[in-house]
Amino acid sequence: MENHNSHSPSHDSHGSMKSYVIGFVLSIILTIIPIAIVMNDMLSKQLTIIVILIMAGLQFVVQLFFFMHLKDEAKPRYNTMALVFGLIILLTVVAGSIWIMSYNVVG
Amino acid sequence: MAQAVTGHDKHGHGGHGHHDEHHEHEHESLKTFGFWMFLITDIILFGTLFATFIVLRFSTDGGPTAAEMFKMPGVIAETFILLTSSFTSGIAVLQMHRGNKKGLIGWLAVTAVLGLAFIYLEVSEFIELVHEGVTIGTSAYWSAFFTLVGTHGLHVSVGIVWMTALIIQLARRGITPVTQRKVNIISLYWHFLDVVWIFVLTIVYLMGVM
Amino acid sequence: MFQNLIDFLLNDFFITGDPLILGAQVSIGLSMVAVVFALTYFKKWRWLWTEWLTTVDHKRIGIMYIIASILMLFRGGVDALLMRVQLAVPQVEFLHADHYNAIFTTHGVIMILFMAMPLMFGLFNIVVPLQIGARDVAYPFLNSLSFWMFFFGAMLFNVSFVIGGSPDAGWLAYPPLSELSGSPGLGQDFYIWGIQISGIGSLATGINFVVTILKMRAPGMKLMKMPMFVWSVLSSCITIMFAFPILTVTLFLLFIDRYFGAHFFTLDGGGNPMMYINLIWMWGHPEVYIVILPAFGIFSEIVSAFSKKKLFGYKSMVFALMSISFFSFFTWAHHFFTMGSGANVNAFFAVTTMLIAIPTGVKVFNWLFTMFRGKLTFPTPMLWTIAFIPCFVVGGMTGVMLSVAPADFQFHNSYFLIAHFHQVLIGGVVFGYFAGLYYWWPKMFGFKLHEGLGKWAFWLWNIGFYVCFMPQYALGLMGMTRRFNEYNFDMGWQPLNVVSTVGAFIMGLAFLFQVWQIAHSIKFYKKEPTGDSWDGRTLEWSIPSPAPLYNFARVPVVDSEDAWWEEKQRLANGGKPKPLAPLEPIHMPKNSAIPFLISVSFFVMGFGFVWDWKWMIIPGAIGVAICMLARSFSYDTDYYIPVDEIERTEAALGGTK
């Protein structure tokens, strides 16, 4: 219960109406674009995958910064570190599984 | 090494009440931090489900495929409902920091109702799929589909129950350091579920109907 | 109706027809009656409930973990001895094939998940808050919940031995054997729910200790001034946080396959059993590092304390611990080189596996250099440490041999592999936790364990270990593979198997010596005169043994690594004792029955799922939900210990040392 030298996101900082509205508008845009691309077959298959994954990634970043206020965390940034490590493991789990299992496909 | 009392003394010994308040404040920020850690483990949990889904994405065993079965309008509606609810849960937090108890409860209620609408649409989608003969046992693909999307739905449902419990507590106790921490935590949770849904939309639905 | 019930109980519910199991059922029944009788006779029910079952005190939770894990060590050890008897005399059908399958499965699961893990969590609980100068862990309520989830998960798993049938598909339950088609019995369901429930507890412990270590340290204790054990706990708990969700999902998917007829890992419906193997090892490989890393921390503490020297290479040790916990996530495929994932995958994972041996090697040199020119003494904790080093080095080297993918095609699933992982798990984990148990025992209970008997146990364990496992390397190279209960005499394996069995029984004898040692030390109880039993270096030795409820009457301020040692040196060199700050009321969490009740509800729900009894699943699930809501609505969760009570406690303990 002693020695807290850092605070969690959205503790001391809770954003403003402006940041929430910006975040909301951005996330709406980032959702409409991939839906429009896919529903109207606007791009080639490979390009579509790349674009919609980028959009999802951006959406994640938007939510992190505008809604979860990750940027405002005080040092040491344990929350950010944990998140980054978590994302590395996440990518490992997903990419590793895809790689290994590509040799063991069942129809 | 010395024996000394710390932490509190820099804030002076302004009586017991002050002491308690200071303590409570730190206590609550500790819990928010722990919840963040839990969310990170939840990321891994969903990551594993996504990995399984992606590996089994072609394993329909000659049965119905995603492109044949998905009805996008409902899914798109679900997406915008959940996006909006993430925004309204943010506004609830904002109201809380302004000390507006009524606004806080109101926006939380809006968020919970949007969550319910989302669950309603999702359950209808599942029921429709089952009526058309697609169940969790149809093929590996559909096992992975129902499990991944269902796990997200389960998270949202838990969130709704939790939010309802929190609204009752807020109505009874008002905005205190403890309830404040609880609102902060549930809004983090809600934003997190929104993010997960974006990836469900992209990887399961959009790539499925491509 | 009544007749139906009796038929059901005798034919399906209880396992009948095996004299060994009947013996176990009778002895379990008798000991339960004895415990209930003793508690009632001595009027201890209330004491049990208020002092232990509902406690949130990390020291008591730690003791409960350790008691549970020693019971599990006994059960797992008996399993091992039964297997060894069968393999020494394969012509006699001591255990028939089904029983043998069940026993090697439960031996593995119990030893890793219900012995090593709780023993580790027990030491975390007892030591970490004391070493960082904290009054409890970050979330005492959650800590109690973790313990009870582990406990009831373990009970659910163990009950399968006498009720319903044991799991018998190997400790990691590979499908398709573990699917409904391969294991239609209930054993596999007990396996899933037992591990799932205790796994949630482990995950919560991981989060709890990461936060405790990051946020609850005494003022002045920078990260790089933490005791090495705390670092090792941090690295282990970070690994738990990222690995255990994978286990939860994997078992959940297997459950969905079995219960809802899904097709994740089945052979039909497009399922892919290989995916299970891929997923389970993503957890399974980090898991072995989860249990070994804290042992490294224990050795570091002990080597430094009994060499009367600062740990050599503190920074490199920290770096080694953290890099092992990171790299442990990138080596999982070496468990299934033979799966046929192609040369690239195998090459990648072979290289990462070899890389992870490097930081481990760094540590061995650090320990050796710490001892170099130290003032060495050799009480039991130090003996275990010294025995660990050569044992673990050999185990590690055979691990590197296994990491060579082409060679692994020969070693795979042979007794060479069995010998390897027992050497790192017994030589590393078990020796490590024993060392820790002997080292911190006086801190837990206020008395030391008898040295003479401890030395007997030590030598018997070591001799038994080598006699048991060295022949198994040879057997592996001679072609003997794991998991079968009989082989022909003309294979030429019997002599070495007999030797190995003798070794196993020597270890069994060593365990009896340890039990005797504990009983003897309790009978001839000799209170430790001070809280500093070993002339220790870290903060836990600065307070009385056993520590008072609030641990530290005054929160210590730290300005160096080995803070307590430095302070003692300063005082010995004529330094003045620092002025004592006035006592303040101490903020403490209240006891709670909710963790116990949630875990009982989970047990009921899990048991219901195993038998597919809706009338049991639903009340269990409702119980869980009600308990959680009850917790959410309770605001009166902590209290203050007033100053005069602290003064009284401290005076009774002999001053504020």
Side-chain angles (χ1 to χ4, degrees):
Chain A
M1 294 141 229
E2 268 65 37
N3 191 32
H4 303 285
N5 36 19
S6 75
H7 291 280
S8 312
S10 76
H11 191 92
D12 280 334
S13 53
H14 26 84
S16 59
M17 194 63 186
K18 200 176 127 196
S19 77
Y20 278 110
V21 171
I22 294 174
F24 186 48
V25 170
L26 280 177
S27 60
I28 295 274
I29 295 170
L30 289 170
T31 310
I32 289 177
I33 294 174
I35 291 175
I37 291 174
V38 171
M39 300 312 279
N40 302 320
D41 286 321
M42 286 158 84
L43 298 170
S44 73
K45 201 168 174 170
Q46 205 145 20
L47 205 58
T48 310
I49 292 179
I50 293 169
V51 172
I52 66 177
L53 279 179
I54 290 175
M55 292 295 152
L58 282 177
Q59 167 106 259
F60 177 42
V61 175
V62 164
Q63 296 252 348
L64 270 182
F65 284 99
F66 289 92
F67 288 179
M68 299 185 181
H69 316 294
L70 191 70
K71 195 178 61 186
D72 307 327
E73 193 196 352
K75 279 184 182 172
R77 296 175 164 268
Y78 290 133
N79 295 47
T80 316
M81 283 187 227
L83 178 67
V84 169
F85 193 29
L87 293 178
I88 292 173
I89 302 300
L90 170 86
L91 282 179
T92 309
V93 170
V94 174
S97 295
I98 294 172
W99 187 34
I100 291 171
M101 297 311 292
S102 65
Y103 295 89
N104 298 279
V105 179
V106 176
Chain B
M1 192 195 82
Q3 310 277 337
V5 181
T6 52
H8 319 298
D9 41 22
K10 58 177 179 278
H11 294 265
H13 297 278
H16 221 87
H18 180 94
H19 178 91
D20 276 3
E21 215 168 84
H22 171 70
H23 224 128
E24 208 159 10
H25 179 78
E26 299 206 320
H27 209 62
E28 301 311 323
S29 96
L30 197 64
K31 290 192 173 167
T32 316
F33 181 59
F35 190 78
W36 181 265
M37 290 296 174
F38 161 74
L39 283 186
I40 305 286
T41 65
D42 229 19
I43 289 183
I44 308 292
L45 183 135
F46 276 107
T48 314
L49 288 172
F50 272 111
T52 311
F53 177 84
I54 295 170
V55 165
L56 298 173
R57 69 194 180 282
F58 302 124
S59 305
T60 49
D61 195 32
T65 63
E68 293 163 24
M69 303 306 301
F70 285 161
K71 304 226 168 33
M72 286 311 279
V75 176
I76 292 168
E78 282 172 49
T79 305
F80 285 104
I81 288 172
L82 205 61
L83 261 181
T84 313
S85 78
S86 189
F87 176 62
T88 56
S89 80
I91 296 186
V93 172
L94 217 56
Q95 294 296 332
M96 177 178 77
H97 287 293
R98 288 183 189 156
N100 181 354
K101 180 177 146 187
K102 265 193 185 158
L104 165 60
I105 292 178
W107 284 108
L108 276 185
V110 170
T111 310
V113 168
L114 288 171
L116 271 178
F118 172 85
I119 291 294
Y120 172 78
L121 286 175
E122 187 162 89
V123 170
S124 321
E125 184 202 350
F126 280 12
I127 290 175
E128 205 178 321
L129 281 171
V130 171
H131 276 303
E132 289 172 27
V134 176
T135 66
I136 198 164
T138 301
S139 66
Y141 174 84
W142 291 104
S143 301
F145 167 82
F146 280 107
T147 306
L148 172 57
V149 181
T151 305
H152 177 267
L154 203 64
H155 272 74
V156 175
S157 311
V158 169
I160 293 169
V161 174
W162 182 10
M163 217 173 259
T164 315
L166 190 50
I167 288 173
I168 298 170
Q169 291 173 35
L170 281 167
R172 280 193 198 164
R173 293 171 184 274
I175 301 171
T176 69
V178 178
T179 51
Q180 205 162 358
R181 180 258 304 169
K182 289 186 177 185
V183 173
N184 274 328
I185 282 181
I186 202 163
S187 88
L188 273 183
Y189 182 71
W190 208 258
H191 296 316
F192 167 76
L193 290 182
D194 190 26
V195 170
V196 174
W197 179 257
I198 292 303
F199 283 89
V200 171
L201 171 76
T202 308
I203 291 171
V204 177
Y205 289 103
L206 291 181
M207 290 191 183
V209 295
M210 239 163 54
Chain C
M1 169 67 197
F2 193 63
Q3 189 56 40
N4 285 344
L5 187 66
I6 303 247
D7 280 348
F8 166 73
L9 286 177
L10 287 182
N11 296 330
D12 299 317
F13 195 71
F14 289 112
I15 305 292
T16 46
D18 188 310
L20 277 174
I21 293 178
L22 184 67
Q25 281 164 333
V26 171
S27 56
I28 289 171
L30 286 179
S31 43
M32 274 164 66
V33 170
V35 168
V36 170
F37 177 77
L39 284 169
T40 315
Y41 185 78
F42 294 107
K43 300 198 172 65
K44 287 290 190 188
W45 284 104
R46 176 166 289 278
W47 165 82
L48 182 72
W49 178 255
T50 54
E51 299 283 309
W52 294 92
L53 301 190
T54 60
T55 188
V56 291
D57 178 4
H58 67 97
K59 298 176 286 295
R60 296 212 162 162
I61 292 173
I63 289 171
M64 290 193 288
Y65 266 123
I66 288 171
I67 293 171
S69 70
I70 288 173
L71 289 176
M72 289 292 108
L73 176 62
F74 175 72
R75 155 98 210 257
V78 171
D79 282 350
L81 293 181
L82 292 177
M83 276 191 283
R84 283 316 318 170
V85 169
Q86 170 63 34
L87 288 174
V89 285
Q91 300 85 351
V92 187
E93 206 177 65
F94 176 65
L95 300 176
H96 57 83
D98 290 341
H99 196 178
Y100 188 83
N101 290 347
I103 292 221
F104 71 64
T105 302
T106 53
H107 169 75
V109 174
I110 286 175
M111 285 303 203
I112 295 281
L113 288 166
F114 302 135
M115 189 283 283
M117 292 291 281
L119 191 49
M120 172 179 99
F121 288 149
L123 290 171
F124 285 11
N125 265 290
I126 285 157
V127 180
V128 169
L130 299 183
Q131 279 200 333
I132 63 174
R135 267 145 188 179
D136 209 321
V137 294
Y139 316 113
F141 174 89
L142 188 68
N143 198 24
S144 162
L145 180 63
S146 292
F147 171 75
W148 289 112
M149 292 293 274
F150 146 71
F151 183 81
F152 282 102
M155 286 304 110
L156 188 58
F157 183 85
N158 275 279
V159 88
S160 68
F161 178 49
V162 289
I163 292 173
S166 287
D168 54 3
W171 84 281
L172 282 184
Y174 280 8
L177 180 60
S178 58
E179 289 283 357
L180 213 49
S181 55
S183 305
L186 300 175
Q188 208 47 51
D189 302 303
F190 276 113
Y191 172 96
I192 290 172
W193 282 98
I195 297 179
Q196 197 70 291
I197 291 173
S198 76
I200 298 169
S202 306
L203 184 58
T205 305
I207 296 176
N208 208 339
F209 277 86
V210 168
V211 178
T212 304
I213 293 169
L214 290 181
K215 298 278 189 172
M216 307 269 290
R217 299 188 309 279
M221 187 182 273
K222 302 249 165 58
L223 282 175
M224 290 309 274
K225 284 178 185 161
M226 293 197 305
M228 194 50 67
F229 180 65
V230 178
W231 267 112
S232 71
V233 174
L234 181 63
S235 62
S236 170
C237 285
I238 289 175
T239 317
I240 289 176
M241 266 182 61
F242 295 105
F244 266 76
I246 306 177
L247 174 71
T248 306
V249 171
T250 312
L251 291 178
F252 180 56
L253 299 183
L254 186 61
F255 160 73
I256 295 177
D257 268 6
R258 290 178 62 92
Y259 195 78
F260 295 109
H263 292 287
F264 286 105
F265 311 124
T266 55
L267 286 175
D268 56 345
N272 193 339
M274 298 300 192
M275 185 58 187
Y276 179 92
I277 299 170
N278 173 57
L279 288 178
I280 198 91
W281 282 113
M282 278 186 188
W283 159 78
H285 195 76
E287 165 67 15
V288 301
Y289 285 96
I290 288 168
V291 291
I292 192 71
L293 286 167
F296 293 159
I298 293 169
F299 294 129
S300 305
E301 295 290 323
I302 290 174
V303 159
S304 164
F306 296 109
S307 307
K308 297 259 167 287
K309 273 177 70 188
K310 240 171 130 158
L311 185 67
F312 181 89
Y314 181 94
K315 278 184 191 161
S316 64
M317 206 65 138
V318 170
F319 180 75
L321 287 171
M322 298 315 273
S323 61
I324 288 176
S325 96
F326 181 74
F327 281 112
S328 69
F329 285 96
F330 300 90
T331 64
W332 77 91
H334 70 218
H335 292 272
F336 45 91
F337 279 146
T338 53
M339 191 164 101
S341 296
N344 287 339
V345 171
N346 282 2
F348 176 84
F349 285 98
V351 171
T352 53
T353 307
M354 292 172 201
L355 278 178
I356 207 165
I358 295 172
T360 317
V362 168
K363 284 209 228 324
V364 171
F365 285 104
N366 282 342
W367 292 316
L368 293 177
F369 281 120
T370 307
M371 283 190 271
F372 182 63
R373 289 193 173 154
K375 284 189 212 119
L376 296 172
T377 47
F378 298 97
T380 32
M382 187 64 167
L383 285 180
W384 287 103
T385 306
I386 302 230
F388 146 81
I389 293 175
C391 194
F392 195 77
V393 168
V394 174
M397 287 311 295
T398 52
V400 177
M401 288 169 74
L402 284 159
S403 77
V404 180
D408 183 70
F409 277 69
Q410 287 300 314
F411 302 137
H412 188 81
N413 269 356
S414 75
Y415 263 77
F416 189 88
L417 169 77
I418 305 294
H420 155 71
F421 72 69
H422 280 91
Q423 187 150 21
V424 282
L425 286 173
I426 294 180
V429 177
V430 176
F431 284 16
Y433 294 165
F434 281 168
L437 210 51
Y438 284 111
Y439 183 60
W440 282 301
W441 186 277
K443 188 44 66 188
M444 289 156 63
F445 298 109
F447 65 94
K448 273 185 190 168
L449 287 172
H450 187 268
E451 276 286 304
L453 288 169
K455 283 188 175 146
W456 270 95
F458 168 79
W459 285 108
L460 287 171
W461 261 108
N462 269 273
I463 294 166
F465 172 80
Y466 287 101
V467 173
C468 182
F469 290 104
M470 291 304 117
Q472 294 189 8
Y473 281 116
L475 284 169
L477 297 178
M478 286 158 76
M480 181 163 163
T481 52
R482 71 199 292 197
R483 289 176 178 164
F484 52 67
N485 66 327
E486 49 192 354
Y487 52 86
N488 275 332
F489 183 73
D490 54 12
M491 303 301 284
W493 298 339
Q494 197 165 13
L496 284 175
N497 269 305
V498 171
V499 173
S500 181
T501 302
V502 170
F505 274 89
I506 298 176
M507 284 190 276
L509 185 64
F511 178 74
L512 291 182
F513 264 87
Q514 288 177 305
V515 175
W516 181 15
Q517 182 192 18
I518 293 174
H520 183 275
S521 312
I522 292 173
K523 197 173 170 205
F524 299 96
Y525 175 85
K526 220 175 78 207
K527 175 122 184 69
E528 280 290 287
T530 68
D532 191 3
S533 300
W534 308 103
D535 196 9
R537 308 177 71 82
T538 38
L539 288 179
E540 76 269 34
W541 305 111
S542 70
I543 52 172
S545 305
L549 177 64
Y550 45 79
N551 299 347
F552 295 86
R554 298 174 175 84
V555 174
V557 176
V558 176
D559 43 30
S560 59
E561 186 197 326
D562 292 344
W564 172 238
W565 177 260
E566 298 296 335
E567 175 70 5
K568 285 190 287 186
Q569 294 302 109
R570 201 180 64 78
L571 291 175
N573 294 333
K576 285 213 181 94
K578 291 185 181 154
L580 292 177
L583 289 168
E584 283 205 5
I586 294 173
H587 185 230
M588 295 299 286
K590 275 188 183 163
N591 284 359
S592 172
I594 294 177
F596 184 79
L597 296 177
I598 292 187
S599 309
V600 170
S601 307
F602 262 109
F603 181 89
V604 170
M605 187 179 88
F607 199 80
F609 268 117
V610 169
W611 291 88
D612 197 6
W613 289 340
K614 305 259 182 324
W615 57 269
M616 215 168 160
I617 300 172
I618 294 164
I622 292 175
V624 172
I626 288 178
C627 288
M628 286 182 166
L629 285 172
R631 174 65 183 176
S632 177
F633 278 92
S634 60
Y635 277 68
D636 179 27
T637 54
D638 30 38
Y639 69 107
Y640 280 89
I641 305 179
V643 171
D644 54 332
E645 194 183 325
I646 305 170
E647 274 167 355
R648 257 180 285 132
T649 314
E650 288 293 302
L653 289 168
T656 50
K657 223 188 153 319

